[in-house]
Amino acid sequence: MLEVTFWSSVVFVAYAYVIYPVLLSLVSAIRGRRVDRSDVTPPVSFIIAAHNEQTRIQGKIENTLRLEYPRDRLEIIVASDSSMDATDKITRTYEEQGVVLVRTPARRGKEYAQRCAVEIAAGDVLVFSDVGATLPTNAVATIVKNFHDPTVGCVSSVDHTIDAEGQSTGEGGYVRYEMLLRRLESKAGTVVGLSGSFFAARREVCREWPSDLPSDMDTLLRAVRAGFRGVSDPDSIAYYKNVPDTRREFERKVRTVLRGISLFAANLEMVNPLRYGLFAWQLLSHKLCRWLVPFALLLALVSNGLLMLHSRAYAAAGVAQLVLYGVALGGLSVKRLSMAKPVKILAFFVLSNLAILNAWYRFATGERVLSWQPSKR
């Protein structure tokens, strides 16, 4: 029984991180779906959600105003989630340049601020971007090309990290892995989530915008429910800075997973393969299986510990696990720049799974995240 528990746990972790991508690549090779992209210029509403962003909002607005897109077809809306600093004042200085400020009557979170902006938006395509994301000048013109394809309901950008001077540093291992999954999912049919820093959707997908669920993943689910698909565009890029320390990265990950679990629980009907086919498998594999990995890791560790006394092979495996976890925990206590790349990956893997466990605990105790505090990058 202990051996079954151990090997089942190992296989489950392998499925979530290795076997699923392999199967996905096979599916995409067999039934690969192309995106019919073309130069189009639909009316676009560009929505920036912000809360107490006085140090970054000017740079974000300037970055948005530099976008190369017909100005008479680009509406820029800053949705202030009841900011208490100079965010609103700075935004109002751009009114003559066509920037519209929408302020929520009370702080109720990112999605509520976006909802207030969606209600007044006039565009056929709605583009959402975080204050911390820097976009190239062709960003909007590139991302809307995907809507020439009538099957596409929403589009995700590709994340790139930058340093303090704004220079590209290349993505971390986790980001590269996620971007690979999205490319494969796009080819297979549809992605399972969108990059919250920069994504776009058709207006009809944005009706009945929720104020208490993560908008990036929820937009994708609403698109699939409406008969569309979501795709990842490799040419649509958003640059952002890494979260600077382990504690903030942990808190960000907990918030993200807790909100994701809440959304998943509210949309359980979408894992029905009789109704949603391949997407149901993708949703289960990419999201739920990933969120269950920490429990499989714990089972593998405990069962391995109990088996160590009965087999040299299991003793060696147990020692290897303890060494790897020790190295990872040690890596979490030092600055990232001083770590070797394998240690960084291992430390981030352990950090992520600890955050997932924390998120499950909070979800089980009834905690939900409605308002958001942007990570200081």
Side-chain angles (χ1 to χ4, degrees), residues 126-193:
L126 276 57
V127 175
F128 300 87
S129 183
D130 286 346
V131 173
T134 300
L135 307 181
T137 56
N138 67 343
V140 169
T142 299
I143 204 167
V144 299
K145 289 181 180 180
N146 296 273
F147 294 107
H148 179 261
D149 189 325
T151 69
V152 173
C154 55
V155 185
S156 176
S157 64
V158 173
D159 297 332
H160 282 238
T161 57
I162 56 177
D163 59 23
E165 284 70 43
Q167 300 300 312
S168 178
T169 60
E171 311 89 336
Y174 174 76
V175 175
R176 289 198 300 272
Y177 176 77
E178 282 297 315
M179 295 305 105
L180 170 63
L181 281 185
R182 287 182 185 172
R183 288 197 300 272
L184 293 174
E185 288 172 343
S186 289
K187 291 179 181 179
T190 179
V191 293
V192 175

Side-chain angles (χ1 to χ4, degrees), residues 10 16 37 70 82 95 110 139 161 175 186 191 234 256 268 315 318 350:
V10 171
R37 298 183 177 93
S82 237
E95 287 181 348
K110 177 180 180 178
T161 57
V175 175
S186 289
V191 293
T256 300
L268 289 177
V350 172

Side-chain angles (χ1 to χ4, degrees), residues 221 224-226 269-281:
L221 295 183
V224 172
R225 194 180 291 113
E269 76 279 1
M270 299 197 75
V271 298
N272 180 359
L274 297 179
R275 185 173 180 183
Y276 292 101
L278 184 67
F279 178 75
W281 168 67

Side-chain angles (χ1 to χ4, degrees), residues 47-348:
I47 297 172
I48 306 165
H51 173 72
N52 289 351
E53 291 285 4
Q54 63 180 12
T55 61
R56 302 193 295 179
I57 192 63
Q58 182 174 0
K60 179 62 178 180
I61 294 175
E62 292 285 352
N63 176 246
T64 306
L65 289 171
R66 287 193 293 270
L67 293 172
E68 296 172 352
Y69 198 78
R71 194 64 188 89
D72 61 338
R73 302 182 77 77
L74 179 63
E75 175 185 46
I76 301 173
I77 304 173
V78 174
S80 173
D81 185 25
S82 237
S83 297
M84 303 300 292
D85 62 359
T87 297
D88 297 1
K89 181 179 179 181
I90 294 170
T91 301
R92 289 191 181 98
T93 64
Y94 290 91
E95 287 181 348
E96 292 185 0
Q97 293 174 261
V99 178
V100 177
L101 172 66
V102 176
R103 178 181 172 84
T104 63
R107 189 184 179 198
R108 290 181 54 185
K110 177 180 180 178
E111 280 70 30
Y112 180 72
Q114 290 176 329
R115 177 179 176 177
C116 292
V118 168
E119 289 175 349
I120 69 164
D124 293 338
V125 172
L126 276 57
V127 175
F128 300 87
S129 183
D130 286 346
V131 173
T134 300
L135 307 181
T137 56
N138 67 343
V140 169
T142 299
I143 204 167
V144 299
K145 289 181 180 180
N146 296 273
F147 294 107
H148 179 261
D149 189 325
T151 69
V152 173
C154 55
V155 185
S156 176
S157 64
V158 173
D159 297 332
H160 282 238
T161 57
I162 56 177
D163 59 23
E165 284 70 43
Q167 300 300 312
S168 178
T169 60
E171 311 89 336
Y174 174 76
V175 175
R176 289 198 300 272
Y177 176 77
E178 282 297 315
M179 295 305 105
L180 170 63
L181 281 185
R182 287 182 185 172
R183 288 197 300 272
L184 293 174
E185 288 172 343
S186 289
K187 291 179 181 179
T190 179
V191 293
V192 175
L194 308 174
S195 291
S197 59
F198 178 40
F199 69 92
R202 295 183 186 272
R203 165 173 286 281
E204 53 263 44
V205 172
C206 299
R207 296 192 183 102
E208 300 179 2
W209 192 269
S211 59
D212 58 350
L213 296 171
S215 58
D216 45 4
M217 185 176 172
D218 185 69
T219 298
L220 183 280
L221 295 183
R222 281 185 281 111
V224 172
R225 194 180 291 113
F228 294 108
R229 60 177 171 139
V231 299
S232 178
D233 184 358
D235 297 323
S236 295
I237 300 171
Y239 297 93
Y240 66 93
K241 296 178 182 178
N242 277 327
V243 177
D245 62 61
T246 299
R247 179 182 59 82
R248 289 175 181 171
E249 176 65 28
F250 180 81
E251 293 172 350
R252 183 197 67 80
K253 187 69 175 178
V254 171
R255 291 196 304 270
T256 300
V257 175
L258 177 55
R259 286 159 61 80
I261 293 173
S262 300
L263 178 62
F264 186 90
N267 291 273
L268 289 177
E269 76 279 1
M270 299 197 75
V271 298
N272 180 359
L274 297 179
R275 185 173 180 183
Y276 292 101
L278 184 67
F279 178 75
W281 168 67
Q282 291 179 247
L283 186 59
L284 281 169
S285 300
H286 192 155
K287 295 299 181 180
L288 185 60
C289 286
R290 186 83 63 82
W291 294 332
L292 293 177
V293 162
F295 301 102
L297 291 173
L298 285 174
L299 285 174
L301 183 62
V302 172
S303 59
N304 195 172
L306 295 174
L307 288 165
M308 288 176 69
L309 299 176
H310 306 288
S311 165
R312 289 183 178 180
Y314 284 115
V319 170
Q321 284 200 71
L322 293 175
V323 170
L324 289 174
Y325 284 128
V327 170
L329 293 174
L332 293 176
S333 64
V334 300
K335 291 184 178 180
R336 293 180 181 179
L337 292 178
S338 63
M339 286 191 285
K341 188 173 181 180
V343 177
K344 289 182 182 180
I345 294 174
L346 187 59
F348 185 81

